[in-house]
Amino acid sequence: MNTKNTKYKAQALAITMVVLVVSAILGLSIYSRAMKDKLLTIEERASAEALEVADLTLDRLTSKSIDDVVTAISALGLEADPTANLENGFVLTENNNGKNDITRLLQNSEKYFDTPILGLDQTYSSLLSPICPIDVAGNEYQITLKSAEENYEVKSGYSWSLPAREILKSKSGCVLDLNVEMAGDSRAGFVVSKYYCTYDANGIAEDCEEYEVSSNFVEKYCFSDDNINCNDVSRFYDPDSPWQKVPEGNVIEYQMSLDNSPTEIRVTAIGGTVSVGYKLWNPADPTATECAQGLRMYQLRATANCNGVYRGKEILIPEKGWHDPIFDYVIFNNEGPI
């Protein structure tokens, strides 16, 4: 009888230990899951704050003239990087290790902008408060400004526009080189449209020539590997339609002058994405930079590191105001010959 009681007590102890071990494992799993959820929530919050810092930074800078922004950043005096320029890029840093470039830029904004962005008794972090405080170790903001390459991807049915007349107001003898290349589908094509308008003394359009689908207004191009036929004619292009064949890497040249320059040159991608590059230059003096003035494109990037999470945004800003990319409902029909 005593032996049986002893054995029963041992079994009860073993069962109790198993229950305790299982409970401990369950408890650790729940705790681990709770900690992971907490860390994930913290990371999501930090990510949202970092992205918000980048958004707010770009919003404040893009509300001003890009020329004024470039002048203000160039005059800031980034003594830590004497090689900083528009080609290499200006990098402004704000952290709790003595770097306060962004605060200095915005405190001096009254010299360059119509209205100041930051008071002399403020820091950029205080302006952003309470998100991503800079006094937390590791938190950091950065602004990068540099010249960008003049090359753009245009999706099928969308148009890229160059306001040629506005840029050429005080220039003459310039040649526009358009370099349109495949950006994926070799069977894509593109249409170059030219628009002609006259303006009054205030720069307001008075009259525009009636749009016609003719060689004077519209030029249609397809990519051709053999320079004889459009790539995969059966897919898109009407063999009887006057599509000009463009070998990969071919440059289309337009003579530009104040007398006959179109107000706007528009490149519309057909059947696939294309890459558009351009250059304005003077054949009489290829080294001159006058033709290219007003065509510079700036790359403005704002980033933030908040609690170990790094996020950022980047935008391209033209030196002169251009038209936004638009969807061309006139040309695009999704399928079939045009």
Side-chain angles (χ1 to χ4, degrees):
M1 186 70 179
N2 290 336
T3 302
K4 289 182 179 180
N5 288 340
T6 302
K7 187 176 180 181
Y8 179 79
K9 289 180 179 180
Q11 289 176 342
L13 180 61
I15 292 171
T16 302
M17 292 298 296
V18 169
V19 171
L20 289 174
V21 170
V22 171
S23 299
I25 293 173
L26 289 174
L28 287 173
S29 298
I30 294 172
Y31 176 77
S32 176
R33 179 61 181 270
M35 291 302 296
K36 286 181 179 178
D37 288 344
K38 181 179 179 180
L39 290 174
L40 183 61
T41 301
I42 292 174
E43 287 184 1
E44 288 179 349
R45 178 178 176 180
S47 176
E49 288 189 358
L51 192 59
E52 188 171 358
V53 170
D55 275 330
L56 291 172
T57 302
L58 290 179
D59 286 345
R60 288 184 170 90
L61 292 178
T62 54
S63 66
K64 309 299 180 182
S65 163
I66 185 61
D67 288 337
D68 292 340
V69 172
V70 172
T71 301
I73 291 179
S74 301
L76 187 60
L78 300 175
E79 62 280 352
D81 186 6
T83 64
N85 54 47
L86 282 174
E87 301 305 320
N88 298 329
F90 291 101
V91 180
L92 283 62
T93 303
E94 189 92 3
N95 56 33
N96 62 351
N97 294 323
K99 297 290 289 184
N100 63 342
D101 297 334
I102 300 177
T103 292
R104 289 195 296 124
L105 170 69
L106 301 184
Q107 284 178 342
N108 293 329
S109 60
E110 190 172 7
K111 297 179 182 178
Y112 307 99
F113 308 142
D114 295 334
T115 55
I117 298 177
L118 200 64
L120 295 177
D121 58 342
Q122 286 183 297
T123 65
Y124 189 51
S125 180
S126 67
L127 188 64
L128 296 172
S129 180
I131 63 173
C132 195
I134 206 67
D135 55 357
V136 175
N139 285 3
E140 183 177 86
Y141 322 139
Q142 276 193 343
I143 295 173
T144 304
L145 174 70
K146 63 182 300 186
S147 295
E149 295 182 2
E150 287 84 8
N151 194 282
Y152 313 92
E153 285 197 354
V154 183
K155 295 181 180 180
S156 177
Y158 282 79
S159 298
W160 169 86
S161 174
L162 178 72
R165 179 75 179 182
E166 181 66 24
I167 292 174
L168 291 171
K169 265 184 179 178
S170 59
K171 307 169 190 176
S172 61
C174 298
V175 170
L176 171 66
D177 286 351
L178 278 181
N179 184 13
V180 186
E181 299 180 341
M182 304 177 214
D185 194 340
S186 65
R187 299 169 296 179
F190 60 96
V191 172
V192 178
S193 305
K194 292 170 283 185
Y195 301 87
Y196 299 84
C197 299
T198 57
Y199 294 82
D200 62 17
N202 297 319
I204 300 175
E206 293 179 314
D207 183 49
C208 293
E209 290 190 36
E210 185 176 350
Y211 182 86
E212 296 178 5
V213 183
S214 65
S215 59
N216 187 45
F217 288 88
V218 178
E219 299 170 4
K220 300 187 290 186
Y221 296 90
C222 66
F223 292 112
S224 174
D225 292 338
D226 59 10
N227 203 23
I228 298 175
N229 300 305
C230 294
N231 294 339
D232 196 358
V233 175
S234 61
R235 171 181 180 260
F236 197 83
Y237 304 100
D238 183 356
D240 298 326
S241 183
W243 289 85
Q244 300 184 53
K245 317 309 186 288
V246 180
E248 178 70 5
N250 190 55
V251 174
I252 307 167
E253 284 196 345
Y254 294 96
Q255 187 71 35
M256 312 294 287
S257 70
L258 293 177
D259 296 329
N260 58 13
S261 290
T263 303
E264 174 189 345
I265 294 179
R266 185 181 297 179
V267 178
T268 304
I270 304 295
T273 302
V274 300
S275 175
V276 181
Y278 67 92
K279 181 178 73 171
L280 260 175
W281 60 291
N282 191 334
D285 186 2
T287 62
T289 60
E290 182 188 18
C291 288
Q293 289 177 1
L295 282 171
R296 186 190 291 270
M297 183 68 68
Y298 297 106
Q299 180 189 77
L300 184 62
R301 181 189 303 130
T303 62
N305 193 329
C306 300
N307 293 317
V309 180
Y310 180 87
R311 296 293 299 273
K313 279 195 172 183
E314 179 181 288
I315 58 175
L316 297 177
I317 306 175
E319 188 174 359
K320 301 290 184 183
W322 292 16
H323 302 290
D324 294 328
I326 61 173
F327 189 85
D328 197 324
Y329 290 95
V330 176
I331 295 178
F332 185 75
N333 70 349
N334 194 37
E335 60 183 17
I338 293 181

